[in-house]
C-alpha cells in the first residue's frame, strides 16, 4: 500500500500496478514457505496435550486449512492495491460476497446437504480455503479488468522486478515480523496454556476471543483503509 500510494502520488500509475504484482509474487512465495509446516503439524499439535479427540479435529482442520494461506496473502496484496488508489469498497464488497459463499459451503460440506459429501470439520476447512480462493480470483479479475488496465496497465506490468521486491522486503519485514510474533505468542498462550485446563475451558476461551474480535477488528480495518 505504501509504495503503491507513493507511486500514485507521483503520477506514476504503472508503478502502482507493478508494486501490486511484486506483492502477489511475494504472497505466492510466502504460501509455499508456509507449506513447510504441514509435515510438522502432527507433532506440533500432539505437543499441546489437548484431549485426543480435540487434537484429531485440530489436525483434520489444519491440514486442509494451511493450503489456504497462500490465498490469504494473495488477496491481501490485491486489496492493498485498491486501498492505495482510494477504492476500499471493492475489497469490502468482495469480502462480504465471499463470506456469504463460505457460510453456504459450510452448510453443504459440513453436513452433507444437497448431494455434497458430509465432511464434518474437514468440510469447514475446505469451505474456508475455497472461499478465500474465490476471493483472490474475484479481486484478480477486477484488478485486471478493462477499467483498471486502461488507467494502471495492470495486464502489462507483471514482470518480476527484483528491485521492487527488495524494497517491499526491506520496509515490510519489521512490521511483518512484529505481527507474526504478536499472533504467535498469543497462539502459544492459548494452545499450550489454556488448552491444558481442559476441553471446555479451551472452547470457552476460543469463543470469547472470537467475540472479542468484534471490538478491535473494525479499528484495524479502518487503519488499513486510511493508512495509504
Amino acid at each position: 500500500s505504501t509504495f503503491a500510494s507513493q507511486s500514485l502520488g507521483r503520477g506514476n500509475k504503472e508503478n502502482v500496478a507493478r508494486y501490486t504484482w511484486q506483492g502477489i509474487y511475494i504472497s505466492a512465495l510466502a504460501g509455499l514457505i508456509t507449506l513447510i509446516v504441514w509435515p510438522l503439524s502432527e507433532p506440533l499439535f500432539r505437543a499441546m496435550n489437548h484431549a485426543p479427540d480435540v487434537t484429531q479435529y485440530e489436525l483434520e482442520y489444519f491440514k486442509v486449512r494451511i493450503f489456504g494461506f497462500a490465498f490469504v496473502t494473495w488477496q491481501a496484496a490485491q486489496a492493498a492495491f485498491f486501498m492505495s488508489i482510494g477504492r476500499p469498497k471493492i475489497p469490502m464488497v468482495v469480502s462480504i460476497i465471499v463470506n456469504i459463499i463460505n457460510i453456504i459451503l459450510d452448510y453443504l460440506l459440513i453436513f452433507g446437504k444437497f448431494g455434497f459429501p458430509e465432511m464434518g470439520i474437514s468440510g469447514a476447512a475446505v469451505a474456508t480455503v475455497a472461499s478465500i480462493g474465490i476471493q483472490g480470483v474475484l479481486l484478480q479479475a477486477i484488478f485486471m479488468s478493462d477499467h483498471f488496465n486502461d488507467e494502471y496497465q495492470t495486464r502489462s506490468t507483471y514482470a518480476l522486478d527484483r528491485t521492487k521486491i527488495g524494497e517491499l522486503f526491506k520496509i515490510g519485514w519489521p512490521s511483518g515480523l512484529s505481527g507474526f510474533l504478536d499472533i504467535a505468542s498469543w497462539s502459544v498462550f492459548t494452545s499450550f496454556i489454556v488448552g491444558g485446563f481442559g476441553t471446555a475451558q479451551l472452547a470457552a476461551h476460543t469463543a470469547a476471543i472470537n467475540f472479542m474480535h468484534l471490538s478491535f477488528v473494525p479499528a484495524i480495518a479502518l487503519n488499513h483503509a486510511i493508512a495509504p
Side-chain angles (χ1 to χ4, degrees), residues 152-180:
Y152 297 95
Q153 306 303 308
T154 56
R155 299 176 190 168
S156 58
T157 52
Y158 57 83
L160 189 68
D161 190 322
R162 294 181 180 178
T163 300
K164 286 181 172 56
I165 287 180
E167 292 173 348
L168 291 172
F169 267 117
K170 182 179 179 180
I171 298 298
W173 78 262
S175 176
L177 181 60
S178 175
F180 168 77

Side-chain angles (χ1 to χ4, degrees), residues 194-210:
V194 177
F197 294 143
T199 300
Q201 290 82 353
L202 178 61
H205 177 80
T206 302
I209 291 299
N210 286 329

Side-chain angles (χ1 to χ4, degrees), residues 70-88:
F71 296 148
V72 172
T73 51
W74 178 30
Q75 61 87 15
Q78 296 164 329
F81 166 79
F82 294 110
M83 289 188 287
S84 69
I85 63 173
R87 301 291 297 276

Side-chain angles (χ1 to χ4, degrees), residues 74-225:
W74 178 30
Q75 61 87 15
Q78 296 164 329
F81 166 79
F82 294 110
M83 289 188 287
S84 69
I85 63 173
R87 301 291 297 276
K89 287 184 179 179
I90 292 176
M92 180 196 73
V93 171
V94 171
S95 294
I96 292 173
I97 294 172
V98 167
N99 273 281
I100 294 172
I101 293 174
N102 197 356
I103 292 171
I104 295 172
L105 289 177
D106 277 335
Y107 177 72
L108 296 175
L109 296 176
I110 292 174
F111 304 106
K113 301 295 183 179
F114 299 102
F116 285 84
E118 183 178 347
M119 301 174 65
I121 195 167
S122 295
V126 170
T128 300
V129 172
S131 299
I132 300 173
I134 292 171
Q135 184 175 12
V137 170
L138 290 175
L139 288 173
Q140 188 73 28
I142 298 171
F143 171 67
M144 298 180 68
S145 65
D146 291 341
H147 176 77
F148 290 104
N149 181 61
D150 290 343
E151 188 170 0
Y152 297 95
Q153 306 303 308
T154 56
R155 299 176 190 168
S156 58
T157 52
Y158 57 83
L160 189 68
D161 190 322
R162 294 181 180 178
T163 300
K164 286 181 172 56
I165 287 180
E167 292 173 348
L168 291 172
F169 267 117
K170 182 179 179 180
I171 298 298
W173 78 262
S175 176
L177 181 60
S178 175
F180 168 77
L181 292 175
D182 183 33
I183 295 173
S185 61
W186 185 256
S187 299
V188 168
F189 176 80
T190 301
S191 301
F192 285 88
I193 299 180
V194 177
F197 294 143
T199 300
Q201 290 82 353
L202 178 61
H205 177 80
T206 302
I209 291 299
N210 286 329
F211 277 111
M212 191 179 73
H213 285 171
L214 296 174
S215 67
F216 61 81
V217 169
I220 294 175
L222 182 62
N223 171 70
H224 282 304

Side-chain angles (χ1 to χ4, degrees), residues 2-25:
T2 300
F3 285 103
S5 298
Q6 290 176 349
S7 298
L8 182 64
R10 289 192 294 266
N12 191 341
K13 292 186 176 182
E14 288 188 12
N15 258 0
V16 178
R18 285 193 180 95
Y19 276 114
T20 302
W21 277 110
Q22 308 318 307
I24 291 172
Y25 297 147

